[in-house]
Coordinates of all heavy atoms in Angstrom, one line a residue:
E4 N 1.2 8.2 2.1 CA 0.8 9.5 1.5 C 1.9 10.1 0.7 O 1.7 10.7 -0.4 CB 0.4 10.4 2.6 CG -0.3 11.6 2.1 CD -0.7 12.6 3.2 OE1 -0.2 12.4 4.4 OE2 -1.4 13.6 3.0
I9 N 3.5 14.1 -7.4 CA 3.6 15.5 -7.1 C 3.8 16.3 -8.4 O 4.7 15.9 -9.2 CB 4.8 15.8 -6.1 CG1 4.5 15.1 -4.8 CG2 5.1 17.3 -6.0 CD1 5.6 15.2 -3.8
D21 N 7.0 26.5 -8.2 CA 5.9 26.6 -7.2 C 5.2 25.2 -7.2 O 4.8 24.7 -8.2 CB 4.9 27.7 -7.7 CG 3.7 27.8 -6.8 OD1 4.0 27.7 -5.5 OD2 2.6 28.0 -7.2
Y30 N 25.9 33.7 -2.5 CA 26.5 35.0 -2.6 C 27.9 34.9 -3.0 O 28.6 33.8 -2.9 CB 26.3 35.7 -1.3 CG 24.9 36.1 -0.9 CD1 24.2 35.2 -0.1 CD2 24.3 37.2 -1.5 CE1 22.8 35.5 0.2 CE2 23.0 37.5 -1.2 CZ 22.2 36.7 -0.3 OH 20.9 36.9 -0.1
R59 N 16.6 26.5 -6.3 CA 15.2 26.2 -5.7 C 15.1 24.7 -5.8 O 15.1 24.1 -6.9 CB 14.1 26.9 -6.5 CG 14.1 28.4 -6.2 CD 13.1 29.1 -7.1 NE 12.6 30.3 -6.5 CZ 13.3 31.5 -6.3 NH1 14.6 31.5 -6.7 NH2 12.7 32.5 -5.7
Y60 N 14.9 24.1 -4.7 CA 14.8 22.6 -4.6 C 13.4 22.1 -4.4 O 12.7 22.7 -3.6 CB 15.6 22.1 -3.4 CG 17.1 22.3 -3.5 CD1 17.7 23.3 -2.8 CD2 17.9 21.4 -4.3 CE1 19.1 23.5 -2.8 CE2 19.3 21.6 -4.3 CZ 19.9 22.6 -3.6 OH 21.2 22.8 -3.6
F78 N 22.4 34.9 -12.2 CA 22.2 36.2 -12.6 C 23.4 36.6 -13.5 O 24.5 36.1 -13.4 CB 22.2 37.2 -11.4 CG 21.0 36.8 -10.5 CD1 21.2 36.1 -9.4 CD2 19.7 37.1 -10.9 CE1 20.1 35.7 -8.6 CE2 18.6 36.8 -10.1 CZ 18.8 36.0 -9.0
P100 N 24.7 9.9 -11.8 CA 24.7 10.9 -12.8 C 23.7 12.0 -12.5 O 23.2 12.0 -11.4 CB 24.2 10.0 -14.0 CG 23.3 9.0 -13.4 CD 23.8 8.8 -12.0
Y103 N 20.8 17.8 -16.8 CA 20.6 19.2 -16.7 C 19.8 19.6 -18.0 O 20.1 19.2 -19.1 CB 22.0 19.9 -16.8 CG 22.7 20.2 -15.5 CD1 22.2 19.7 -14.3 CD2 23.8 21.0 -15.4 CE1 22.8 20.0 -13.0 CE2 24.5 21.3 -14.2 CZ 24.0 20.8 -13.0 OH 24.6 21.0 -11.9
Y104 N 18.9 20.6 -17.8 CA 18.1 21.1 -18.9 C 18.1 22.6 -18.8 O 17.7 23.2 -17.8 CB 16.7 20.5 -18.8 CG 15.6 21.2 -19.6 CD1 15.9 21.6 -20.9 CD2 14.4 21.5 -19.0 CE1 14.9 22.3 -21.6 CE2 13.4 22.2 -19.8 CZ 13.7 22.5 -21.1 OH 12.7 23.2 -21.8
G110 N 25.1 30.1 -22.2 CA 26.3 29.9 -21.5 C 27.0 28.6 -21.8 O 26.9 28.2 -23.0
L117 N 38.5 16.2 -13.6 CA 39.6 16.7 -12.7 C 40.8 15.7 -12.7 O 41.6 15.7 -11.8 CB 39.1 16.9 -11.2 CG 37.8 17.7 -11.1 CD1 37.3 17.8 -9.6 CD2 38.0 19.1 -11.7
G129 N 16.7 25.1 -24.2 CA 16.4 23.8 -24.8 C 17.5 22.8 -24.8 O 17.2 21.6 -25.1
R141 N 29.8 22.4 -13.7 CA 29.7 23.8 -13.4 C 29.0 24.5 -14.6 O 29.3 24.2 -15.7 CB 31.1 24.4 -13.2 CG 31.1 26.0 -13.3 CD 32.5 26.5 -13.0 NE 32.8 26.4 -11.6 CZ 34.1 26.6 -11.1 NH1 35.1 26.8 -11.9 NH2 34.3 26.5 -9.8
L149 N 19.1 36.5 -17.3 CA 19.2 35.3 -16.4 C 19.4 34.0 -17.1 O 18.9 33.9 -18.3 CB 17.7 35.3 -15.8 CG 17.5 34.5 -14.5 CD1 18.3 35.0 -13.3 CD2 16.0 34.6 -14.2
L150 N 20.2 33.1 -16.6 CA 20.3 31.8 -17.1 C 19.5 30.9 -16.1 O 19.8 30.9 -14.9 CB 21.7 31.3 -17.3 CG 21.9 30.0 -17.9 CD1 23.2 29.9 -18.7 CD2 21.8 28.8 -17.0
Y164 N 32.4 19.6 -3.0 CA 32.8 21.0 -3.4 C 34.3 21.1 -3.2 O 35.0 21.9 -3.9 CB 32.1 22.1 -2.7 CG 30.6 22.1 -3.0 CD1 29.7 21.5 -2.2 CD2 30.1 22.7 -4.2 CE1 28.3 21.5 -2.5 CE2 28.8 22.7 -4.5 CZ 27.9 22.1 -3.7 OH 26.6 22.1 -4.0
E165 N 34.8 20.4 -2.2 CA 36.2 20.6 -1.8 C 37.2 20.2 -2.9 O 38.2 20.9 -3.2 CB 36.4 19.7 -0.6 CG 37.6 20.0 0.3 CD 37.8 21.5 0.6 OE1 36.8 22.2 0.9 OE2 38.9 22.0 0.5
A168 N 37.4 23.0 -5.3 CA 38.2 24.1 -4.8 C 39.7 23.8 -4.8 O 40.5 24.7 -5.1 CB 37.7 24.4 -3.4
D180 N 36.7 40.9 -25.3 CA 36.1 41.8 -26.4 C 34.6 41.5 -26.4 O 34.0 41.4 -27.5 CB 36.7 41.5 -27.8 CG 38.2 41.9 -27.8 OD1 38.5 42.8 -27.0 OD2 38.9 41.3 -28.5
G181 N 34.0 41.3 -25.2 CA 32.5 41.1 -25.1 C 32.0 39.7 -25.5 O 30.8 39.5 -25.5

Side-chain angles (χ1 to χ4, degrees):
E4 195 183 5
I9 292 171
D21 181 38
Y30 292 96
R59 286 173 154 73
Y60 292 104
F78 300 101
Y103 271 8
Y104 164 44
L117 308 179
R141 163 177 286 165
L149 196 63
L150 186 150
Y164 294 99
E165 200 45 42
D180 297 330

